[in-house]
């Protein structure tokens, strides 16, 4: 079939919306009519080359839609089902899935390769294969993905809200709840309040933090953070967040620092480590530059103060358990999703959506389809 898709054809280039060829689903794959897809900074890291992928590539890894067709062997979904696409598939059998760490599923090795699980490609343009980021490629009207990448959700949930639990919500929420292990009464500082950081704020509040300090230079981000669980906000161009954390903790430092800027820098990791007290945790969430090979954290503090440096992908969430759990938290009002969408776009306006993200005008931009 033919479908329209926003392709990236090289580092530094704009998205180009083109008509492309899409093969139908093979064994254990599904054809999804994309209804909504979030605009996440990680897709822009393909533009900058921080996330290296072969071109042409179809980006977009935070999507929701309706199953249109299933290939042989598919058992968990059928045409008409509403699904969220998970940016890491889950095989259910590897060591990581078997021990409940499905976000580390061995199938994740293919995230930046862009082929389907059998090693072949479903999208092409003029006979040339198109890679699908995270094996998804949601910046298209239709996509073909593995059954292992789709999570069935109730059909009454608006798909523009559902798409957010494909990446930003679990990544931020899980960074606080799972990887940061925020517990009642703790003091948490979140650096960078975009589509992931805002959910770290929500996760920390849900986990019972007594203070959630949201750090961002953009007024819109700080205002939104205050509405969704932050107790304090800091403009880092005016106030050093360390001073705020220390003033709230008798100079001891916070319990958890969560790092969710557009690009994770070694300097910010050092800053996060300086913000936390003895026993504190620093959760590194945002994508770093591949060119950065070293971080500067005083080793003495890691050892004698038992500070923990923690990495995370997907916030340590289990997509097949938690995508629906997060939607239920939203249904009961404990987790806000509606407030995360700042602007909606058509696929043809995808470059404007990324410009708004880079200029700090969006918590989340969402591309919606008919
Ligand atoms: C990223 C992680 C690297 C691959 C693309 C998705 N996660 C969240 O945005
Ligand atoms: Zn993302």
């Amino acid at each position: 079939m033919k479908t329209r898709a926003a392709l990236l054809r090289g580092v530094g280039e704009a998205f180009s919306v083109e008509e492309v060829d899409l093969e139908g689903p093979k064994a254990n794959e599904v054809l999804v009519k994309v209804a909504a897809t979030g605009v996440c900074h990680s897709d822009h890291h393909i533009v900058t080359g921080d996330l290296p992928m072969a071109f042409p590539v179809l980006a977009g890894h935070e999507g929701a839609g309706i199953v249109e067709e299933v290939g042989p062997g598919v058992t968990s979904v059928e045409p008409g089902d509403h699904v969220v696409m998970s940016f890491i598939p889950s095989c259910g059998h590897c060591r990581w899935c078997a021990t409940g760490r499905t976000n580390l599923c061995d199938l994740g090795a293919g995230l930046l390769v862009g082929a389907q699980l059998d090693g072949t490609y479903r999208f092409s343009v003029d006979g040339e294969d198109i890679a699908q980021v995270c094996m998804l490629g949601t910046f298209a009207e239709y996509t073909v993905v593995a059954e292992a990448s789709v999570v069935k959700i109730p059909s009454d949930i608006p798909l523009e809200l559902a798409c957010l639990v494909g990446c930003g919500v679990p990544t931020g929420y899980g960074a606080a709840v799972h990887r940061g292990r925020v517990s009642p009464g703790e003091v948490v500082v979140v650096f960078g309040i975009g589509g992931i950081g805002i959910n770290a704020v929500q996760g920390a509040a849900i986990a019972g933090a007594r203070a959630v300090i949201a750090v961002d230079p953009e007024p819109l981000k700080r205002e939104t953070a205050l509405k969704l669980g932050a107790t304090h906000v800091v403009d880092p161009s005016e106030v050093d967040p360390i001073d705020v954390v220390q003033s709230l903790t008798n100079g001891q430092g916070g319990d958890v620092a969560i790092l969710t800027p557009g690009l994770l820098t070694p300097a910010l990791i050092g800053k996060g480590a300086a913000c936390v007290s003895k026993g504190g945790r620093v959760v590194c969430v945002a994508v770093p530059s591949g060119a950065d090979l070293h971080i500067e954290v005083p080793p003495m503090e890691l050892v004698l103060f038992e500070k923990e440096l923690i990495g995370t992908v997907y916030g340590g969430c289990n997509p097949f358990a938690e995508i629906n759990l997060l939607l239920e938290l939203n249904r009961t009002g404990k987790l806000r999703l509606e407030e995360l969408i700042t602007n909606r776009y058509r696929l043809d306006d995808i470059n404007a959506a990324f410009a708004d993200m880079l200029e700090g005008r969006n918590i989340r931009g969402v591309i919606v389809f008919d």
Side-chain angles (χ1 to χ4, degrees):
M1 69 184 283
K2 299 276 186 196
T3 191
R4 295 176 75 246
L7 299 186
L8 281 170
R9 289 181 168 276
V11 167
E13 296 204 6
F15 289 88
S16 88
V17 179
E18 305 179 22
E19 189 172 82
V20 299
D21 292 298
L22 175 58
E23 274 190 78
K26 296 197 172 169
N28 305 311
E29 295 175 358
V30 301
L31 171 69
V32 178
K33 184 176 196 295
V34 182
T37 174
V39 174
C40 175
H41 209 117
S42 298
D43 291 308
H44 194 262
H45 289 301
I46 304 170
V47 178
T48 60
D50 288 324
L51 286 178
M53 287 200 73
F55 296 99
V57 60
L58 174 57
H61 62 276
E62 187 181 85
I66 301 177
V67 174
E68 185 96 354
E69 187 185 333
V70 301
V74 171
T75 55
S76 61
V77 290
E78 57 187 35
D81 282 348
H82 290 207
V83 292
V84 168
M85 288 173 262
S86 167
F87 80 79
I88 298 183
S90 173
C91 74
H93 301 291
C94 69
R95 171 184 165 192
W96 316 103
C97 286
T99 52
R101 303 186 70 183
T102 49
N103 62 311
L104 298 181
C105 175
D106 282 340
L107 296 182
L111 250 56
L112 301 181
V113 177
Q116 285 303 307
L117 293 173
D118 69 358
T120 64
Y121 294 80
R122 296 296 162 271
F123 282 92
S124 61
V125 59
D126 301 326
E128 186 182 13
D129 287 335
I130 300 170
Q132 292 168 261
V133 70
C134 300
M135 295 168 247
L136 298 182
T138 58
F139 293 157
E141 293 168 334
Y142 288 87
T143 188
V144 168
V145 302
E147 180 182 16
S149 301
V150 295
V151 176
K152 184 176 170 177
I153 62 166
S155 58
D156 63 335
I157 294 172
L159 289 165
E160 66 172 27
L161 300 184
C163 77
L164 304 172
V165 300
C167 176
V169 177
T171 301
Y173 165 92
V177 171
H178 298 311
R179 302 296 286 152
R181 310 191 304 276
V182 173
S183 61
E186 289 197 320
V187 173
V188 181
V189 54
V190 182
F191 287 88
I193 309 299
I196 292 175
I198 192 68
N199 293 300
V201 167
Q202 295 208 84
I206 289 170
R210 79 170 160 87
V212 181
I213 304 145
V215 181
D216 200 289
E218 295 295 332
L220 164 76
K221 312 274 186 94
R222 299 196 300 272
E223 282 160 26
T224 308
L226 281 173
K227 287 184 195 145
L228 299 192
T231 54
H232 303 74
V233 287
V234 176
D235 178 350
S237 61
E238 292 188 345
V239 176
D240 189 336
I242 292 179
D243 295 340
V244 178
V245 176
Q246 291 193 335
S247 72
L248 290 166
T249 57
N250 287 326
Q252 287 186 335
D255 298 288
V256 184
I258 301 176
L259 312 182
T260 47
L263 178 74
L264 183 61
T265 62
L268 185 64
I269 297 174
K271 187 90 169 169
C275 276
V276 298
S277 65
K278 289 188 283 187
R281 284 90 74 197
V282 181
V283 188
C284 302
V285 188
V287 171
S289 163
D292 287 329
L293 298 179
H294 300 285
I295 54 176
E296 288 196 15
V297 174
M300 199 67 93
E301 294 188 14
L302 287 188
V303 177
L304 296 185
F305 293 171
E306 283 197 346
K307 292 188 180 180
E308 293 180 52
L309 275 184
I310 300 167
T312 187
V313 61
Y314 230 128
C317 282
N318 173 336
F320 282 84
E322 292 187 272
I323 282 178
N324 274 297
L325 177 144
L326 292 165
L327 292 171
E328 284 308 313
L329 280 177
N330 172 247
R331 219 193 261 283
T332 51
K334 294 190 168 58
L335 178 82
R336 307 305 304 171
L337 296 179
E338 297 79 354
E339 290 81 351
L340 305 184
I341 302 177
T342 318
N343 283 297
R344 292 167 182 79
Y345 305 85
R346 307 301 295 177
L347 186 63
D348 287 309
D349 299 322
I350 188 167
N351 287 302
F354 274 91
D356 284 347
M357 181 196 73
L358 293 172
E359 292 299 319
R361 289 191 281 264
N362 285 348
I363 300 290
R364 217 23 148 207
V366 172
I367 294 170
V368 290
F369 298 81
D370 292 326

